[in-house]
Amino acid sequence: MSGDRLIATEKDVDLAYRRAWFPVTRSQDLAGGPQQVKLLGQELVAYRAEDRSVRVTRNRCAHRGALLHTGKVRGGDIECPYHGWRFDGLDGKCTLVPSSGPDKPVPPGAVIDAFPAIERFGLVWTCLDPGYQEFPDYDFLADWESWANGNGDPIPVGCGIRHTVENFRDVAHFAFVHVRTMGEMDPFVEPLKVNREDYTVIMERGYNVAGGFEEIWHDSMVFTYYVRPPALICLKMEGDEGIRYTIHAAQPVDDTLSIIYFATAATPGWTGVPIAEAVRHEHIIYSEDSPIISELQPREAPLFGTAGLVHSPADKFTLAYRRAFAEWARDLATAGKPEGSELATATTG
């Protein structure tokens, strides 16, 4: 086991996180104007430009440090509410200092950090140090936006994002935490079949219940879990009514707080419950999990091979994810930026 401890260090994880894509808000929330968000301890503002693209920048004005999320959107710029300085959401450069008049040059250094932004699964994603990794999408979800889909309310939890991932696909806790929602089930967990494709961990199993929300889960369903580090999960639920997917993604706000985002979509021909009802049920399930995972110790799941906790055969998927995560973090932390890589521009989904 000693060799496993060298897969990755927490320093590797910190650097890999800066090079990874994370959700910071829902697309629908931008309708209310610029949104104050926080990622890895950094205060940001996310907003929708007038051309409908999304932008993410630092939330502090370079002039006197006012909060930009309380300002207004002007074209593609964010306007400071204090003195009206405007900053381009793509490169962060100041485009206007109203008090100087239109003919005066902008002061040198009047620039704020700007980050790439992508919309996917009804969420706005960004990356603090882009150019190392493509957005970690799933090819089989390419038509998500054209399917019936919906997003649940964000769920803050007092733990790290790895705990949120492990909880989502930890099948051993269903019989104890989710009796009301998932129904009565045998706590025994059959030998799990876990596979790896690159860094993605995959598991398929049947669903056997009695009671619970039987209108959205049935004995005939097959669940396939796809987990891609750092914290993007896709659950495929396939049965007589068709195919429905649930996406789980987590935002690392800081060392002790994460925000869980989830969305669900059904492929054409789905005859099960309406998406809005499925979203409501999923939220209830998360509400059963959140008070427990918010009190886990340590506050973040250990890296693969680290000491302190005991495992059982039902933890096979968890350990596979920890190894995949550690390898992902090590490889991304040590990767060089590809020659000619550029900052991704803001795009709409």
Side-chain angles (χ1 to χ4, degrees):
M1 186 67 80
S2 59
D4 292 333
R5 295 191 181 98
L6 301 178
I7 291 178
T9 66
E10 290 295 349
K11 184 176 180 180
D12 291 331
V13 173
D14 291 342
L15 181 54
Y17 277 1
R18 291 191 59 82
R19 297 176 172 182
W21 290 88
F22 292 105
V24 291
T25 191
R26 297 181 300 178
S27 296
Q28 66 195 67
D29 294 328
L30 297 185
Q35 296 294 304
Q36 181 180 28
V37 300
K38 190 174 182 181
L39 178 63
L40 298 171
Q42 188 159 340
E43 299 284 351
L44 308 175
V45 56
Y47 65 96
R48 190 175 299 284
E50 291 182 2
D51 67 2
R52 306 305 298 162
S53 64
V54 290
R55 311 287 170 91
V56 175
T57 72
R58 192 183 73 181
N59 197 26
R60 292 283 179 177
C61 178
H63 177 219
R64 289 293 180 267
L67 291 174
L68 295 175
H69 80 275
T70 61
K72 296 180 180 178
V73 176
R74 304 292 188 184
D77 298 350
I78 185 75
E79 181 183 81
C80 177
Y82 197 10
H83 298 94
W85 289 33
R86 297 181 186 178
F87 298 89
D88 189 312
L90 292 181
D91 60 19
K93 294 180 180 179
C94 181
T95 62
L96 178 67
V97 178
S99 61
S100 298
D103 300 325
K104 293 292 184 180
V106 171
V111 181
I112 60 175
D113 293 326
F115 307 96
I118 289 175
E119 288 187 277
R120 189 74 171 107
F121 310 120
L123 304 172
V124 177
W125 304 69
T126 193
C127 178
L128 298 184
D129 190 2
Y132 292 88
Q133 185 185 43
E134 296 293 327
F135 181 78
D137 213 336
Y138 291 102
D139 292 342
F140 53 84
L141 298 180
D143 297 324
W144 179 280
E145 277 72 25
S146 68
W147 298 337
N149 66 78
N151 290 74
D153 293 334
I155 302 168
V157 289
C159 64
I161 62 170
R162 301 198 296 272
H163 270 319
T164 76
V165 172
E166 294 187 5
N167 171 77
F168 184 94
R169 41 88 268 129
D170 178 284
V171 297
H173 81 282
F174 293 171
F176 302 94
V177 180
H178 301 304
V179 175
R180 180 169 70 97
T181 49
M182 292 187 176
E184 298 283 348
M185 64 182 71
D186 189 341
F188 171 76
V189 176
E190 78 285 358
L192 300 175
K193 297 179 180 179
V194 178
N195 298 305
R196 280 271 304 269
E197 292 182 3
D198 196 10
Y199 303 117
T200 302
V201 186
I202 305 170
M203 179 178 70
E204 180 182 297
R205 70 190 301 259
Y207 184 64
N208 300 305
V209 301
F213 292 156
E214 290 186 288
E215 63 269 36
I216 62 171
W217 291 292
H218 306 279
D219 288 345
S220 62
M221 278 188 166
V222 175
F223 282 29
T224 305
Y225 296 83
Y226 302 84
V227 180
R228 181 166 294 173
L232 178 59
I233 300 174
C234 174
L235 170 58
K236 177 183 180 182
M237 293 160 281
E238 187 171 12
D240 297 337
E241 296 169 328
I243 300 175
R244 182 167 67 87
Y245 293 96
T246 290
I247 286 291
H248 164 113
Q251 169 190 351
V253 177
D254 54 34
D255 292 339
T256 60
L257 176 65
S258 299
I259 297 178
I260 296 172
Y261 297 91
F262 72 97
T264 192
T267 59
W270 171 256
T271 60
V273 297
I275 290 299
E277 189 69 6
V279 168
R280 187 181 72 84
H281 288 160
E282 297 278 8
H283 194 276
I284 295 173
I285 290 174
Y286 276 111
S287 71
E288 294 171 335
D289 286 317
S290 59
I292 295 178
I293 66 175
S294 292
E295 299 295 334
L296 294 177
Q297 297 293 332
R299 300 289 288 276
E300 179 58 295
L303 292 174
F304 183 81
T306 52
L309 299 174
V310 180
H311 307 296
S312 74
D315 298 315
K316 185 176 181 179
F317 203 120
T318 293
L319 297 179
Y321 162 70
R322 290 188 184 183
R323 177 182 283 277
F325 177 94
E327 293 175 0
W328 166 85
R330 176 202 61 198
D331 294 347
L332 189 54
T334 56
K337 184 174 290 189
E339 187 174 349
S341 64
E342 300 178 353
L343 292 180
T345 56
T347 59
T348 55

